[in-house]
Amino acid sequence: HTPRGEAGPLGAPPLPQVTSVMSERPPQGDLEPAASKVADSTAFDHAGEGATKRSYYEDTKLMQRIGKGSYGLVHLGKCNGEEVAVKVMPLLTNTAKDIEREIKAMRECNSLNTIRLLDAFKVTNPTGEDMWIVMELCRVGSTLDVMRRQGKPFAEQQIAWVVKGLTQALFFLHTTLNLIHRDIKVAN
């Protein structure tokens, strides 16, 4: 992950700063309605209770799938012209607490070396409820994606850059949030 505003030796362009979810909604202009918009969609406040205020990111349209995690799929999304990553996870009784914990942890992550959470909300569909976690899009993909595109082992300078960013992110999680990341790998 390239820290926002900083280009890295892996050829990653700097990522744009994103607007906080707590800020005013930008002007809409002429927008195409989202194909993935669902009639019964409730904003999710990050403490775990439903809210009545509609979220700006509820207009997100899912594009192609870009990844798969242990709890769901990750899609490229588009919301009012902004590209985002959207993790779509079925809300099941045995996973709801884990999903809520993940959202709470992501909401507290305010570090240049972590992906920023933009919003999270429930979406009702014919098979049940899904939680959509809308995140900042990491345009270059994971470290594994970059390694595969490069087609050869990383140079020492590239490895040092990746390890530095990872170490800074872990230091933030451990010291500031008292959290342990339990799934560290190049694909993440």
Side-chain angles (χ1 to χ4, degrees):
H1 169 65
T2 302
R4 285 177 289 284
E6 178 184 316
L10 303 178
L15 294 175
Q17 292 291 334
V18 293
T19 314
S20 165
V21 253
M22 305 310 281
S23 67
E24 289 295 313
R25 184 177 178 143
Q28 290 187 344
D30 296 314
L31 299 174
E32 170 186 328
S36 60
K37 189 174 171 185
V38 187
D40 182 17
S41 169
T42 0
F44 186 80
D45 80 12
H46 305 285
E49 297 176 21
T52 55
K53 184 178 176 185
R54 245 183 84 66
S55 162
Y56 169 69
Y57 288 98
E58 284 187 69
D59 291 329
T60 299
K61 178 181 179 181
L62 297 181
M63 310 303 271
Q64 76 261 18
R65 184 179 117 180
I66 57 175
K68 182 178 179 184
S70 54
Y71 287 118
L73 301 176
V74 181
H75 297 267
L76 172 64
K78 200 159 199 168
C79 181
N80 301 324
E82 176 186 2
E83 287 188 332
V84 293
V86 183
K87 189 184 282 191
V88 178
M89 300 181 290
L91 277 178
L92 307 171
T93 307
N94 61 335
T95 62
K97 288 287 184 202
D98 290 337
I99 292 170
E100 185 177 334
R101 219 177 356 261
E102 179 177 350
I103 292 168
K104 185 177 185 292
M106 287 181 71
R107 181 173 182 245
E108 294 174 6
C109 282
N110 188 16
S111 165
L112 292 178
N113 295 295
T114 58
I115 297 292
R116 189 178 306 175
L117 171 73
L118 301 173
D119 202 357
F121 48 88
K122 295 176 188 177
V123 176
T124 301
N125 61 53
T127 60
E129 280 191 322
D130 290 333
M131 180 60 69
W132 284 25
I133 299 179
V134 183
M135 302 169 285
E136 157 183 52
L137 179 64
C138 183
R139 297 189 188 287
V140 297
S142 68
T143 303
L144 180 61
D145 296 331
V146 175
M147 290 169 58
R148 287 182 175 155
R149 278 194 308 271
Q150 183 171 297
K152 61 181 181 180
F154 278 175
E156 187 175 339
Q157 180 185 12
Q158 292 172 310
I159 295 168
W161 185 79
V162 169
V163 171
K164 178 184 174 189
L166 175 63
T167 304
Q168 289 172 336
L170 290 174
F171 181 79
F172 172 80
L173 290 175
H174 293 178
T175 60
T176 306
L177 302 180
N178 200 28
L179 292 174
I180 297 174
H181 193 299
R182 297 183 307 163
D183 195 19
I184 300 169
K185 56 187 177 188
V186 293
N188 284 345

